[in-house]
Amino acid sequence: IEDKSALYELPLSGNGFVASVISLDSPEMDGTYLEHEQIGTILPPSSSLKDSADKELQLFAVLNITEEIASKHKLGIPFIHNDRVVLLATYSASYKDALTDAALPILNEIRQSVERYLKLTVTIGMGTVRERITDVRYSYEDAILALDYRLVHGNNRVIWINDVEKRIVERVRFDELQQQALIRSLKVGSLAEIKETVESLFQGIAESTVSFSDYQIYLVELLTAILKMCKDADLNLDLIFGENFLIFAELHRFSSLQETQNWITAICTKIHSSIISERQFSYKNLVNEAKAYTHAHYHENDISINMICSHLHISNGYFSTIFKKETKMTFVNYLMQLRMDVAKELLQSSDLKAFEIAERVGYADPNYFSFCFKKVCGISPKEYRSSVVGDQS
């Protein structure tokens, strides 16, 4: 983030960050008439930008005012996101109150200027102050939540989330990025990665003053994500947790954060082992199906990986990887070896000519069959038959 912000010359350095969301009020919810400043008369809304059906034009007008005021006060970066104007404010002071003390009057100035010059009203939700740029998404979520309170407090005002929701303790959140990291480690990570991921999830709790109710919600969200992943992977939960196991009730028996973390780690380890076992079983079944199909069709000269994959309904790349992993050879080499084994049996047990044997094992070109036979067996089909006959006599 720091590298990108420097590249695009975005002022994202500081000791505090807060996101504010500027939302256009619907015409039905604000005043019907406003004083027209320049001529001192009362004009209906239809004579202003307010009555425009072009919401995009309104947003850009609000953005222009926000940019001008934010630039004047060196407050931060405004931009349009999800049909709203967002102001990402930064501050270099080392204490949180400095940013809110600076931002609140500037947000009110933006609100008043929009009403004054555009004849529109906006409601502005301001989120919580965050010390790290990576946590700005939480501030944005809080700003959106603050906007919900206009149903109670009305439009055309600045609503700070801390004013409407007294947050004695910091909220702990299990967000989408954490969920993706956990699921990825369960599916394709190592045991060390699983342990590290779970540790990082609980580190956020240990470093914050979290209420017990928020802590419980966090664990429920975490367990729900794990159970959903198990369902998507079609795992047998009884084998992992035991029959009649009440997973959410289990949370109440732990007396420390470390106990809960150890329990979650143990669950994730079991799930990881189950996924690996299921995957290996699936690999073996697919390879066995491929072998069976190959044994049934090796005599067809057009048999190929594409035919096998079409039969198994999997991609070529995936099939090639698992086949080599399970058999220690490529499919092409496996098919050639199978054909040569059958050819050797026919050379020993029949009087068929080489070109006839070539045709029976899937080679349309007898010369190419002889080339492949010599490559695998070290001698030509004729030499092989002579050696076998000589040995038998």
Side-chain angles (χ1 to χ4, degrees), residues 183-366:
I183 291 174
R184 184 207 156 276
S185 67
L186 288 173
K187 287 184 175 180
V188 297
S190 63
L191 291 177
E193 286 176 315
I194 290 173
K195 185 178 179 182
E196 183 179 338
T197 302
V198 174
E199 282 180 355
S200 69
L201 293 174
F202 280 84
Q203 186 178 12
I205 301 174
E207 293 177 351
S208 305
T209 308
V210 181
S211 70
F212 183 68
S213 60
D214 277 346
Y215 167 66
Q216 285 184 313
I217 292 171
Y218 180 83
L219 291 180
V220 168
E221 289 176 340
L222 175 58
L223 284 171
T224 301
I226 291 173
L227 290 173
K228 185 178 183 303
M229 195 279 300
C230 290
K231 179 184 176 183
D232 292 340
D234 199 25
L235 299 181
N236 188 328
L237 295 182
D238 288 340
L239 293 179
I240 296 173
F241 302 106
E243 293 184 5
N244 303 319
F245 184 77
L246 301 176
I247 188 168
F248 293 107
E250 191 76 2
L251 295 175
H252 295 284
R253 73 179 180 85
F254 302 115
S255 59
S256 71
L257 190 66
Q258 188 61 50
E259 281 186 36
T260 310
Q261 179 180 327
N262 293 341
W263 180 67
I264 294 289
T265 302
I267 287 176
C268 290
T269 301
K270 286 183 180 179
I271 292 171
H272 180 261
S273 299
S274 295
I275 288 175
I276 290 177
S277 298
E278 289 285 338
R279 188 176 294 146
Q280 289 174 341
F281 180 72
S282 176
Y283 287 172
K284 284 183 171 59
N285 279 348
L286 283 172
V287 170
N288 287 337
E289 281 190 57
K291 286 180 176 179
Y293 185 89
T294 306
H295 278 262
H297 297 273
Y298 70 88
H299 58 280
E300 299 171 8
N301 57 36
D302 61 343
I303 187 172
S304 64
I305 287 181
N306 288 338
M307 288 177 62
I308 298 286
C309 293
S310 177
H311 173 70
L312 298 175
H313 306 292
I314 57 176
S315 68
N316 290 16
Y318 179 68
F319 171 74
S320 297
T321 300
I322 64 172
F323 191 89
K324 188 172 183 179
K325 183 177 180 180
E326 290 295 317
T327 64
K328 311 304 179 187
M329 67 172 68
T330 66
F331 173 75
V332 172
N333 288 337
Y334 177 82
L335 175 61
M336 183 185 294
Q337 185 66 57
L338 173 61
R339 284 170 163 173
M340 294 307 110
D341 289 343
V342 175
K344 285 191 289 185
E345 289 180 11
L346 292 173
L347 286 167
Q348 292 180 53
S349 61
S350 75
D351 294 327
L352 293 171
K353 298 185 182 302
F355 76 88
E356 293 175 313
I357 292 176
E359 187 176 327
R360 289 203 178 191
V361 296
Y363 288 95
D365 184 351

Side-chain angles (χ1 to χ4, degrees), residues 40-52:
T41 59
I42 302 297
L43 293 178
S46 59
S47 62
S48 69
L49 187 62
K50 176 196 296 186
D51 198 47
S52 171

